Amino acid sequence: MNHWVIFPILIPAVVAPLIVLTSRRDEVLARVFSVAATLFMLVVSCWLWHASSQGHVVRYELGQWPSPFGIVFVLDRLSATMLVLSGVLGFVVSLAAIDGWDQRGRNFHALLLLQLGGINGAFLTGDLFNLFVYFEVMLIASYGLMVHGGGADRLRAGIQFVVINLCGSSLFLVALGLIYGTCGGLQMSDVGQKIGLLPEGNRALMSCGITLLMMVFAVKAALVPLHFWLPSAYGHAPPLIAALFAIATKVGIYCMIRVHGQVISGNEGVLSQWTTNWLQPAGLVTIVVGMVGVLASRTLCQMGSYATLASSGTIVSCVALLNSDSLAAGLYYLAHSTLAGAVLFLIADAIACRRGADADQLVTSGPMSQRALLGGLFLIAALAITGMPPLSGFIGKLLILDAMRQSDWGGWMWVIILATSLLGILGFARAGSTLFWKCTANSNIPPTSHEHNYTIMTLVAGGSLMLGLIALTAAAGVTLAELESVAVQVWSMR
């Protein structure tokens, strides 16, 4: 069973270059390879999740090099859960691309698989340096996917995205140097065990290294004030790529949880209190900025970007409490917000294809085809993102508020979540009325070749994710029980 642990990384690493070598000019063959590879990754991820649900932690030492010298991958309940989310989004995005997005540039499917390989590698690695490597793999693939299809705005946003993330990578290397210099290793479990044995003179360096590391993860998670790249990048990226980025943003949050559980937990008395104390206020401010951005957005993709930003703040606020109840609630909301954000981006793509030059802008336009269907899908997505009943967003926010009651930040959390939910409702109500009610009498939308296929696969992909939201709602009790087991294992792994 151990060798299956690396298959979520191995599959895209093999198939991506195979597509480039054999199928870059054959659309049908490239699509077959891509869909088959993402489906295989999803099946393997589900099987790994089932295997890890017994509570066993699997350590895979590449090349059988012993710890702490070799490369180690770790499969536990948390990493398996994230692999399933990644597999679901990767598969539905590869399906949605069949509608024509993969024809707007070269090597789309190879870049998609490369991105998934980087994401899965970040979820599985047990070594901080290899985490840096997988971050760089994600960065390379993300830039190629962001500028796919061309356009000045997309290129500008892509360059901004790369520059900010390269700055984050530089900080990452500095942090790794400080940690390696004080501990003599970079495997997370090894570092966590050695921190308590450090001499007094090295503890400040270790605190600085861990703080820089958490700042890098905050850049990836787009916490305020390190957030300004996300609305531009996600807002201008192709919508189905922005749907995939809904899980990429959660990689930074996952790394915070992992480093908390294996490195910081148990060493709070050795590390500076400022190592993580700033996460809670940063998370709360991020929620406010995100939902204000939703209200002020001028396009649907911008709304999705700011909703993703708000969800990151919500989850980080739960993680920062460092207890099992809040982490379980945060993980439930992580799964919900990932699916809901991806649904909104896919719906935005379907709407844009039916509005001609107006695309997804929140302006009055002529009547679009299939308005009732798209309006219903948009309503469901809006209910999910704003946390309205009966969908899983409402359950997730209730769980978070309940977990926050005994916290020093509980009062702030209640006020901010309730107030920002109202802002989100107002923003989506404005967008819905503009898109579906305030239609001009005569449509001057020119038909496009992309509109004629009615984005069938995009709607199938969005509908599949909505079924996932419904399943998450119907099985909330079972899901929460499983996530509570995940949270308990996270804090007991070191």
Side-chain angles (χ1 to χ4, degrees), residues 313-452:
T314 304
I315 301 163
V316 169
S317 296
C318 295
V319 173
L321 291 184
L322 303 181
N323 65 65
S324 297
D325 290 340
S326 64
L327 180 57
L331 290 175
Y332 183 91
Y333 193 78
L334 184 152
H336 157 80
S337 61
T338 301
L339 298 179
V343 166
L344 182 60
F345 283 117
L346 291 174
I347 293 173
D349 186 30
I351 291 173
C353 290
R354 289 161 172 76
R355 300 183 76 227
D358 291 329
D360 67 331
Q361 296 181 66
L362 300 181
V363 295
T364 303
S365 182
M368 70 181 82
S369 60
Q370 298 180 314
R371 184 174 65 174
L373 172 62
L374 292 174
L377 294 176
F378 176 81
L379 175 61
I380 295 173
L383 291 175
I385 290 176
T386 55
M388 294 292 289
L391 293 177
S392 50
F394 178 70
I395 298 173
K397 288 190 175 181
L398 281 182
L399 293 173
I400 291 171
L401 293 177
D402 182 63
M404 289 282 183
R405 284 188 303 167
Q406 306 303 322
S407 167
D408 294 339
W409 292 92
W412 283 105
M413 195 69 178
W414 274 69
V415 171
I416 288 174
I417 283 188
L418 295 176
T420 54
S421 295
L422 177 60
L423 291 179
I425 292 170
L426 293 175
F428 278 97
R430 175 180 67 91
S433 63
T434 301
L435 292 171
F436 301 105
W437 286 355
K438 299 178 181 178
C439 296
T440 56
N442 298 315
S443 173
N444 58 358
I445 303 176
T448 66
S449 59
H450 189 54
E451 184 180 354
H452 289 310

Side-chain angles (χ1 to χ4, degrees), residues 15-298:
V15 179
L18 185 64
I19 290 176
V20 173
L21 291 173
T22 65
S23 315
R24 62 183 302 179
R25 300 187 186 279
D26 188 332
E27 294 173 2
V28 175
L29 192 57
R31 290 170 176 178
V32 169
F33 276 136
S34 180
V35 173
T38 53
L39 179 58
F40 189 25
M41 278 192 288
L42 176 57
V43 171
V44 171
S45 298
C46 290
W47 186 81
L48 291 175
W49 176 85
H50 175 73
S52 67
S53 63
Q54 305 302 317
H56 303 299
V57 178
V58 179
R59 291 175 59 86
Y60 184 86
E61 296 177 346
L62 199 64
Q64 295 185 345
W65 283 89
S67 176
F69 305 105
I71 296 174
V72 175
F73 297 99
V74 179
L75 177 73
D76 63 354
R77 284 172 162 167
L78 177 60
S79 56
T81 301
M82 300 303 292
L83 286 176
V84 172
L85 273 177
S86 171
V88 169
L89 284 189
F91 178 60
V92 299
V93 168
S94 67
L95 287 179
I98 295 175
D99 279 332
W101 269 107
D102 56 352
Q103 299 175 354
R104 304 188 186 188
R106 292 184 178 181
N107 302 319
F108 174 88
H109 291 287
L111 289 170
L112 172 63
L113 291 172
L114 188 63
Q115 173 80 357
L116 290 171
I119 292 171
N120 292 342
F123 290 151
L124 285 170
T125 186
D127 184 275
L128 290 173
F129 183 78
N130 287 307
L131 182 60
F132 167 78
V133 171
Y134 287 118
F135 271 21
E136 296 310 295
V137 172
M138 289 169 52
L139 176 61
I140 294 169
S142 296
Y143 179 72
L145 292 170
M146 275 193 60
V147 301
H148 183 80
D153 291 338
R154 193 167 291 161
L155 182 61
R156 187 182 305 112
I159 292 174
Q160 183 187 42
F161 171 81
V162 169
V163 170
I164 296 300
N165 279 274
L166 285 177
C167 292
S169 298
S170 300
L171 286 179
F172 206 155
L173 285 176
V174 173
L176 293 180
L178 290 171
I179 295 171
Y180 186 81
T182 53
C183 279
L186 289 173
Q187 286 192 17
M188 296 184 204
S189 58
D190 186 55
V191 171
Q193 292 171 3
K194 289 182 176 179
I195 287 179
L197 305 176
L198 290 176
E200 190 72 30
N202 287 346
R203 293 181 178 181
L205 288 175
M206 176 57 71
S207 295
C208 183
I210 297 296
T211 302
L212 287 176
L213 200 61
M214 299 301 286
M215 287 181 63
V216 173
F217 300 154
V219 171
K220 301 295 182 181
L223 288 186
V224 172
L226 306 171
H227 70 290
F228 50 86
W229 62 270
L230 187 146
S232 175
Y234 287 23
H236 290 100
L240 79 164
I241 297 305
L244 179 64
F245 286 174
I247 187 66
T249 308
K250 306 305 188 294
V251 172
I253 300 174
Y254 168 86
C255 293
M256 288 181 183
I257 297 171
R258 184 60 78 199
V259 170
H260 263 301
Q262 292 195 285
V263 178
I264 299 175
S265 180
N267 293 311
E268 292 86 355
V270 178
L271 299 172
S272 167
Q273 63 175 338
W274 295 107
T275 301
T276 56
N277 280 5
W278 53 274
L279 286 176
Q280 186 71 61
L284 294 177
V285 175
T286 302
I287 300 173
V288 175
V289 172
M291 280 306 182
V292 170
V294 167
L295 184 61
S297 294
R298 297 184 179 181

